[in-house]
Amino acid sequence: MKKIKLALLIILSVIILAGCGKSAKEEFFDYTKKNVTENSSNDISMTIKDIKLTADMKDSPEANVMVTQLKDIKVTGSMQHDVSEKATNTKLNIEALGQKIPLEFISKNDDMYFSLDIFRGISKIASQFNSELPSDEKTLSAFDGKYLKLSDADTLEIDSKSATNLTKEFQKEVSNYFTSLDEERFTKENDVVTFKLTKKDVVVLAEKFNTLSKSKKEYKEFVIPDFDEMIKNLPKALDAKFNLNTKTNDLAVALTSTFDKKDEGFIDSIEVLYNYKPNDKQVAIKLPAKKEIVNVKEIEAILAPYLSDELDEELDEELDEELDEELDEELDEELDGDFNMADDEFKELVKELEKEDFSSFSAAESDELLEEYEPLLTEKQYKTIEKIFKNK
């Protein structure tokens, strides 16, 4: 959870930078400042441009099918920001595995609401993987048009006021960091300003975030205890290329992640494209009505019958496994020492073994063979076989 918070704060703070002027660097900052100090409305999209498999997985049919499914994922939508009302509305449509899933966040001041219309799409996708999420119309309709208030104390495990204060301070740190960057990292060709963000930048910003989290008692819940391990587990390379058209204010971001072979994954690298394009759809941001807002306890009540059935099934499976283990143990006990090889069969076995050459066998290998025969032999038969192995 805290890793997600860190990633979101860094990504948002890269976009929320301050500055003014005429250089490529200052033009980039001027755009970002304008987006947070003035009302704005943008169409946004996300697509996976390319996925490269590791050398040992290039010919794997399963891996290639998965890559095709991943590359088919598309996200489109809009993001609206009302400065005077301190409100934002983000609406997205996710296309994945043949389903369209709506995703909506509405925020004002420190309050944030999450649309539960997403539940229908998730339920349909889950059914493709034999996951038994509720799919009956009565349950699904209970979520239609409803919103979960994420800022409720019983929903988030964080202090929203502390989170807001930390975000503001962190954005100042980020602004100072980017202001200190060399001018040559920002280039301009025609109307397009290009800026590249690297893994080194991400690590520096992450360190600044963790240091800031340790600076005040109210921020201690945001400190990442496994920080060094998290940094170690980042992709081998992270590159984000920002292309800003200063004439149209279109912003395109290409994020490329390259993974280390030691991660033992099947993906060598992945490139994701993000696009932000201004539109003229600015309308008043409407917060959910009181009757449209539900809390976690109400959601649990809706899902209670399903959760009860699921727990019963899990308990039945556990009991079945325990019963199977008991039966196996009983069978082993019955067989142990009682199911011995008949004398004529044993004589044939001895003849066959005496024909074999075990001289190249190590003591460990001989013992392993004896262990395999032991359950089928009487004590006298076992000693005969042991003698054959030892004498060869």
Side-chain angles (χ1 to χ4, degrees):
M1 178 66 178
K2 290 187 176 181
K3 292 181 182 179
I4 295 174
K5 294 176 195 171
L6 172 62
L8 288 174
L9 283 171
I10 290 176
I11 292 171
L12 288 173
S13 298
V14 167
I15 297 176
I16 305 174
L17 306 173
C20 60
K22 296 296 182 180
S23 70
K25 173 181 173 181
E26 290 168 333
E27 282 190 86
F28 184 85
F29 289 167
D30 189 47
Y31 162 83
T32 56
K33 179 181 178 181
K34 183 178 180 181
N35 268 270
V36 295
T37 58
E38 298 179 12
N39 291 347
S40 62
S41 183
N42 294 280
D43 291 322
I44 56 182
S45 66
M46 185 280 287
T47 56
I48 298 177
K49 181 181 179 182
D50 189 30
I51 299 177
K52 287 185 171 62
L53 293 172
T54 55
D56 58 327
M57 295 298 286
K58 284 182 179 179
D59 297 324
S60 167
E62 295 83 359
N64 279 283
V65 168
M66 187 172 292
V67 166
T68 300
Q69 291 177 333
L70 289 172
K71 290 177 74 172
D72 284 342
I73 295 175
K74 295 179 182 179
V75 180
T76 57
S78 63
M79 181 183 293
Q80 189 174 319
H81 180 50
D82 188 324
V83 176
S84 61
E85 293 293 327
K86 295 182 179 179
T88 60
N89 186 4
T90 302
K91 292 183 178 181
L92 301 174
N93 282 300
I94 304 170
E95 295 181 37
L97 299 175
Q99 301 297 328
K100 290 186 178 181
I101 305 173
L103 185 65
E104 181 181 12
F105 287 96
I106 303 174
S107 67
K108 183 173 183 179
N109 296 318
D110 294 333
D111 291 331
M112 180 177 284
Y113 305 88
F114 175 64
S115 172
L116 297 178
D117 287 343
I118 190 176
F119 197 85
R120 279 184 180 271
I122 291 177
S123 178
K124 289 180 179 178
I125 288 180
S127 66
Q128 296 180 29
F129 296 93
N130 298 319
S131 178
E132 298 180 1
L133 281 177
S135 57
D136 59 286
E137 185 58 29
K138 182 179 179 181
T139 302
L140 295 177
S141 61
F143 292 103
D144 291 344
K146 301 296 183 181
Y147 291 81
L148 175 65
K149 190 175 181 181
L150 295 177
S151 46
D152 282 343
D154 62 348
T155 305
L156 292 180
E157 298 176 354
I158 62 173
D159 184 331
S160 58
K161 184 177 180 181
S162 296
T164 301
N165 292 338
L166 174 61
T167 301
K168 289 179 180 178
E169 287 199 47
F170 181 55
Q171 285 171 357
K172 290 179 183 177
E173 291 280 347
V174 174
S175 178
N176 292 336
Y177 175 73
F178 280 96
T179 301
S180 68
L181 295 179
D182 294 335
E183 292 280 350
E184 51 263 31
R185 290 189 62 179
F186 299 81
T187 60
K188 185 175 181 180
E189 184 175 346
N190 297 323
D191 296 317
V192 179
V193 173
T194 299
F195 161 64
K196 293 182 180 179
L197 186 74
T198 66
K199 179 180 176 179
K200 182 180 178 181
D201 296 313
V202 173
V203 172
V204 170
L205 293 173
E207 290 171 342
K208 288 182 177 294
F209 171 82
N210 216 36
T211 300
L212 186 60
S213 299
K214 294 176 181 178
S215 67
K216 295 182 181 180
K217 188 176 180 180
E218 65 176 297
Y219 298 157
K220 66 179 183 180
E221 62 183 313
F222 297 97
V223 174
I224 303 174
D226 57 345
F227 180 79
D228 291 337
E229 188 66 23
M230 186 201 72
I231 296 298
K232 189 189 300 182
N233 290 330
L234 285 174
K236 182 173 67 174
L238 278 171
D239 297 287
K241 184 177 180 181
F242 296 79
N243 286 326
L244 169 65
N245 189 311
T246 56
K247 191 172 182 178
T248 63
N249 280 338
D250 292 358
L251 176 66
V253 184
L255 176 62
T256 303
S257 302
T258 304
F259 303 95
D260 200 312
K261 291 181 180 179
K262 66 181 181 182
D263 292 336
E264 298 182 354
F266 67 93
I267 294 178
D268 178 69
S269 65
I270 181 169
E271 183 178 1
V272 183
L273 301 181
Y274 302 86
N275 286 284
Y276 304 82
K277 186 175 183 178
N279 61 45
D280 56 359
K281 302 173 185 176
Q282 188 78 32
V283 294
I285 297 175
K286 183 181 177 183
L287 297 179
K290 189 174 181 180
K291 64 181 181 180
E292 296 173 329
I293 301 172
V294 297
N295 56 41
V296 172
K297 291 181 179 178
E298 290 174 297
I299 293 175
E300 290 175 346
I302 295 172
L303 297 176
Y306 160 74
L307 293 175
S308 298
D309 291 342
E310 188 178 62
L311 289 172
D312 288 342
E313 289 176 5
E314 290 178 0
L315 183 59
D316 288 341
E317 288 176 2
E318 290 177 6
L319 290 173
D320 287 342
E321 289 176 3
E322 290 177 5
L323 182 59
D324 288 341
E325 288 176 2
E326 289 178 5
L327 290 172
D328 288 341
E329 289 176 3
E330 290 176 7
L331 184 60
D332 288 342
E333 289 175 2
E334 290 175 4
L335 291 174
D336 189 24
D338 293 335
F339 186 78
N340 299 133
M341 190 176 294
D343 288 340
D344 55 341
E345 291 177 343
F346 179 68
K347 288 177 182 178
E348 289 296 325
L349 175 62
V350 171
K351 287 181 181 179
E352 293 298 323
L353 292 177
E354 287 179 336
K355 294 177 183 177
E356 300 294 334
D357 180 12
F358 297 106
S359 60
S360 61
F361 277 46
S362 66
E365 289 172 329
S366 296
D367 290 341
E368 189 176 341
L369 277 172
L370 282 168
E371 285 179 10
E372 291 181 10
Y373 282 112
E374 186 176 12
L376 304 173
L377 305 173
T378 64
E379 185 176 347
K380 184 179 178 180
Q381 290 172 336
Y382 179 80
K383 287 181 177 180
T384 300
I385 298 296
E386 184 181 29
K387 187 177 179 180
I388 292 174
F389 285 140
K390 299 295 182 184
N391 292 338
K392 286 286 184 178

